[in-house]
Amino acid sequence: MTESRSLAVPPGRAGERVDVAVATLLGFSRSQAAEIADAGGVRIDGRVARRSDRVAADSWLDISWQPRRESSIEPIEVDDLGIVHDDDDLVVVDKPVGVAAHPSVGWEGPTVIGALAAAGFRIATSGPPERAGVVHRLDAGTSGLMVVAKSESAYRELKRQFHDREVEKVYHAVVQGHPDPSSGTIDAPIGRHPGSAWRFAVVSGGKPSVTHYDTLEAFPAASLLEIQLETGRTHQIRVHMAAQRHPCVGDAMYGADPTLSARLGLERQWLHAMRLAFRHPVTGQRVEFSSHYPEDLQHALDVLRNV
């Protein structure tokens, strides 16, 4: 069944390539937007457009496409995957540690997408096949709340909200030491680490990245922070806190003290996605979801409080 969408090009998108504009406006991947254009599915003011054509402000885009078929995601049951909310358009999960958002090169463990498939959930087919329905991600070593789109319209609208920074994402983190000031904003670009294929770092020319933090509780060797992300870069909290010389406790990849990690019984970074709020993609009503610390993070916090 063909889907279609018609809309005017916002002034802020003027001059962009067709594939870039379509991907941004509809929440598609760049490759999927290019495929749609190559198939003749994009018209500008009634004229068929190529992927490399440029869009002009206020020109009219007519886009039609065939939804991608469901990919062969391997269903793998995850017993402790929490279902926080479920309706016809989206599902909010409480992701345990050790579960990736979606399949990727080099990852052979369970995924949120595979767990939902095993539980009988049908999710959106938009986006790259291996990331179907995924509108944002959490690291495998980070626990907490994720929303996954079940309908195509929900996928597009949620992708737009994340892109336009309309989603409230609140994390709790235990970091080494005591940030000074105790509350503040870290505004520093993040990109690939020049010496590592798997790490990220604050680098000149990286993507703009903004993290707001507030100290909730201080301990002799660490601090519990509440963190709100304005942007959503890979490893953003871990990179920004490490750049301030306050890495997340337990985060060996970004320089955490292994002695402290062992004393707290941590085998991963102390980082949890606590709250998630956005406008429901169909009703337009603001919805908010919250989570609790998993057992390993609560244990580490109890040890710190008892020192």
Side-chain angles (χ1 to χ4, degrees):
M1 180 178 178
T2 301
E3 293 199 25
S4 62
R5 182 89 180 272
S6 298
L7 68 166
V9 175
R13 304 265 80 88
E16 288 184 341
R17 286 170 52 109
V18 162
D19 52 359
V20 173
V22 169
T24 302
L25 293 171
L26 296 190
F28 292 146
S29 67
R30 175 85 173 268
S31 61
Q32 186 179 5
E35 289 174 8
I36 292 170
D38 291 344
V42 180
R43 291 178 177 269
I44 301 177
D45 295 331
R47 176 183 58 83
V48 175
R50 298 171 301 177
R51 67 162 78 180
S52 59
D53 289 347
R54 303 284 172 169
V55 298
D58 299 323
S59 59
W60 197 256
L61 282 177
D62 293 296
I63 305 146
S64 59
W65 69 95
Q66 293 287 339
R68 288 179 168 176
R69 296 180 179 178
E70 293 184 38
S71 62
S72 55
I73 298 294
E74 182 181 359
I76 300 178
E77 292 186 5
V78 176
D79 293 336
D80 51 351
L81 181 77
I83 303 299
V84 178
H85 174 83
D86 177 35
D87 62 36
D88 290 341
D89 297 285
L90 58 89
V91 56
V92 178
V93 303
D94 199 342
K95 186 186 81 65
V97 65
V99 179
H102 57 72
S104 61
V105 176
W107 178 258
E108 298 180 355
T111 66
V112 170
I113 299 305
L116 290 175
F121 285 85
R122 181 181 178 86
I123 57 177
T125 57
S126 296
E130 73 281 2
R131 302 183 187 182
V134 173
V135 295
H136 71 126
R137 293 174 288 175
L138 293 179
D139 299 337
T142 299
S143 51
L145 298 173
M146 271 185 62
V147 58
V148 179
K150 293 173 68 176
S151 67
E152 309 306 321
S153 59
Y155 179 86
R156 293 192 296 272
E157 173 58 16
L158 287 171
K159 285 289 283 187
R160 187 200 64 76
Q161 289 188 43
F162 275 96
H163 178 271
D164 293 347
R165 304 182 185 180
E166 297 176 3
V167 178
E168 182 181 346
K169 299 170 287 185
V170 178
Y171 296 74
H172 281 189
V174 172
V175 302
Q176 292 181 193
H178 307 106
D180 185 14
S182 59
S183 298
T185 295
I186 304 169
D187 186 348
I190 291 176
R192 290 281 180 184
H193 192 288
S196 172
W198 303 105
R199 295 173 60 197
F200 291 80
V202 171
V203 294
S204 176
K207 293 181 179 180
S209 307
V210 180
T211 301
H212 308 284
Y213 70 90
D214 184 43
T215 299
L216 298 179
E217 199 170 349
F219 313 103
S223 302
L224 172 64
L225 307 183
E226 181 165 281
I227 296 174
Q228 188 161 348
L229 294 183
E230 191 171 312
T231 52
R233 310 304 177 200
T234 302
H235 296 183
Q236 179 172 322
I237 294 173
R238 301 165 65 190
V239 170
H240 270 174
M241 297 317 301
Q244 303 298 308
R245 299 188 178 182
H246 298 292
C248 293
V249 172
D251 193 357
M253 179 179 287
Y254 288 101
D257 177 5
T259 302
L260 178 59
S261 302
R263 182 160 63 86
L264 299 180
L266 281 175
E267 297 181 352
R268 53 104 165 199
Q269 65 265 16
W270 204 115
L271 181 60
H272 187 69
M274 284 292 294
R275 293 198 302 277
L276 190 62
F278 50 87
R279 284 186 297 102
H280 192 282
V282 173
T283 69
Q285 296 294 315
R286 186 179 188 274
V287 291
E288 181 174 335
F289 306 97
S290 60
S291 175
H292 300 285
Y293 302 147
E295 185 177 342
D296 62 334
L297 301 190
Q298 185 63 58
H299 170 76
L301 198 57
D302 291 341
V303 173
L304 287 170
R305 286 172 173 160
N306 289 330
V307 171

